[in-house]
Each structure stands twice: as C-alpha cells, then as structure tokens.
Amino acid sequence: MSVPSPVIIWCDGSFENDNSYQSMKDEFNETTTGTPTQDPDAMDVSILNDEMREFHSNNVPLVVVRTIDDAKKKINEHINDKVFIICSGTMGRALVPIIAENYPTVQDIYIYAHDLALHADWAMKYVQMIKMFDFHTSLLIRLTRDISKWYIEQGKLYSQLDDPISALKYFQQAHKLEIEANRRGETEWNLPGTTTRLRPTAFLTRLKHLEGEHGLIAQAENAIRAGGLPVQNS
C-alpha cells in the first residue's frame, strides 16, 4: 500500500517569468527528494510549460499555480486531502482572505516575501493560519517538518486502528523528512558571521520519538511481527 500524501499548492504569479525563484525551486526539489536537481532547467520546464502539471517528489504531490482562480480550483480538487499552501506575499494578500472565508480546513499557509513588513497590514488578521518567511531555506525546513508531523499523526491513528503496516509506512516517511530537514538545517544555518538566524536545536525530539528500541517505528514493526507478517523496509 502506498501512503496517502498531503498536497502542496504553490501559488506565485512570478512563475510566468523564466528562471523565477529557480534556486528556490531547485532547493525545494532537493529537500523533498534528497537528491540534487540533475538538469537545472528540468524543474523550470515542468512548471512553466503547464501550470496545471503536477510533479511528485518524496511521495508529496506539488502543484504550481499562477493565479487566484487556479489556486481556488486546485484547493477544490483536493478538498478531501491535507493541503499545504505556499504563496508569495502579493498573492497571499488576495488569496488568504478567500481561504479563510471558504476553506476552513486549510490551516497551513506559508508566505514567502522579501520584505515581510510590506505585508504586516493584512497578515496580522490571519496570524493563526499563516507562517511568514523572508528566507526560503527556513520555509523549506518548516514545511518539511510540518509534513513530517502530519505523517506521524496519521501513523498514530493507524496504530490505534490496529493497522501497524499502514502506521509503519507513515512513520518511515516522517523519518525520511526529519532527517532531510536536519540535514538542510545543518548545512544552511549558522553560517560564519550569521547572527540573526540561529539553527534550531530542539527538532531532534521527533527523531528520538521515531527511532530506537521503543520508538514509533519499532513499535509498528513489533506489532506487524506479532501478527505473523514480515516487516517491509522503507
């Protein structure tokens, strides 16, 4: 069985331009797949040739849209899925109020803007549902960990339903994302001379919760073996 995934909808009108946020797109691809982009133009082509095209990375579909109408369309298409939204500050100004009014189940919105102060006027009204970033690596780390948290929650639900096979798949997926988030944090945070961005140290908690003799992964594996079934590696 494949693990049902959340969906990321990335909304930014600047994707109409060649090489818009190319380095961020490449880093997102590397973060979610664990491997660098082989062709620097490949991701750009897949996005810009067709705004409705989806690509899959690390079992998490990422949908890129350029307009408010397309964003609403994609949210409606995935209304029964767990949805994470990334959008520019400019698009967020228009899109976030629409989401707040019409899509109460969408509660994870990530705003990326070079100057966050320009968006304080509208963003303050939605502090419970948006997270704002002016540094794309910190956005990617936070998003990766939030998706990992969702996987862990789903795995616990399946454990309660006495379905350790499904639970294990969720826990394994969360484990991959936590390792990748930590790797990204180690390489990008606390660069020499950096004083404003300190690498968070508290995020080993989930790894410890997943790993080890009594961790969630081991608990699911033991439950599978107790049922007389083989354990499948991730």
Side-chain angles (χ1 to χ4, degrees):
M1 157 189 153
S2 62
V3 173
S5 296
V7 176
I8 302 167
I9 301 177
W10 193 341
C11 319
D12 194 328
S14 69
F15 286 139
E16 294 173 339
N17 303 321
D18 290 342
N19 299 318
S20 295
Y21 294 158
Q22 183 60 48
S23 63
M24 183 176 176
K25 296 176 201 171
D26 291 343
E27 186 169 358
F28 184 86
N29 192 50
E30 182 178 351
T31 297
T32 54
T33 63
T35 57
T37 304
Q38 298 300 312
D39 180 352
D41 295 323
M43 193 171 186
D44 210 40
V45 168
S46 70
I47 290 171
L48 298 177
N49 278 353
D50 185 353
E51 67 219 38
M52 308 304 287
R53 179 178 178 178
E54 298 182 9
F55 73 93
H56 294 263
S57 56
N58 203 26
N59 200 37
V60 181
L62 171 61
V63 185
V64 176
V65 299
R66 301 172 181 168
T67 69
I68 297 295
D69 286 343
D70 283 344
K72 292 191 294 185
K73 179 179 178 180
K74 283 300 177 184
I75 293 172
N76 283 322
E77 287 179 8
H78 295 283
I79 199 67
N80 295 318
D81 299 319
K82 174 63 178 177
V83 173
F84 294 85
I85 305 285
I86 305 174
C87 62
S88 65
T90 300
M91 185 170 282
R93 181 184 293 272
L95 181 59
V96 170
I98 293 171
I99 292 174
E101 182 175 353
N102 299 286
Y103 305 100
T105 60
V106 178
Q107 291 291 316
D108 293 279
I109 303 175
Y110 304 78
I111 305 297
Y112 178 68
H114 293 292
D115 189 346
L116 298 180
L118 292 177
H119 303 281
D121 58 334
W122 67 266
M124 290 298 294
K125 302 174 185 178
Y126 303 99
V127 292
Q128 298 301 316
M129 60 189 298
I130 65 173
K131 307 171 184 72
M132 301 186 72
F133 301 87
D134 61 357
F135 186 49
H136 62 270
T137 299
S138 58
L139 185 158
L140 296 174
I141 292 171
R142 179 60 184 269
L143 174 62
T144 302
R145 287 199 165 107
D146 286 351
I147 295 173
S148 168
K149 180 181 177 181
W150 182 84
Y151 277 125
I152 291 172
E153 291 170 349
Q154 296 303 301
K156 289 180 177 179
L157 287 175
Y158 276 100
S159 293
Q160 293 172 3
L161 294 172
D162 197 25
D163 184 354
I165 293 177
S166 297
L168 177 61
K169 291 181 181 294
Y170 279 107
F171 294 146
Q172 289 171 335
Q173 195 70 17
H175 187 252
K176 291 178 182 178
L177 292 176
E178 288 294 327
I179 288 176
E180 181 54 38
N182 283 331
R183 185 194 69 81
R184 176 64 61 194
E186 290 285 353
T187 56
E188 296 290 344
W189 294 75
N190 282 346
L191 297 175
T194 298
T195 58
T196 57
R197 296 187 178 99
L198 299 177
R199 182 175 64 84
T201 58
F203 288 104
L204 295 178
T205 302
R206 287 190 199 142
L207 274 179
K208 293 177 180 178
H209 196 38
L210 289 162
E211 296 176 339
E213 183 180 355
H214 303 291
L216 292 172
I217 291 175
Q219 291 177 34
E221 291 175 340
N222 291 336
I224 292 170
R225 294 188 185 98
L229 297 173
V231 172
Q232 300 293 326
N233 293 324
S234 59

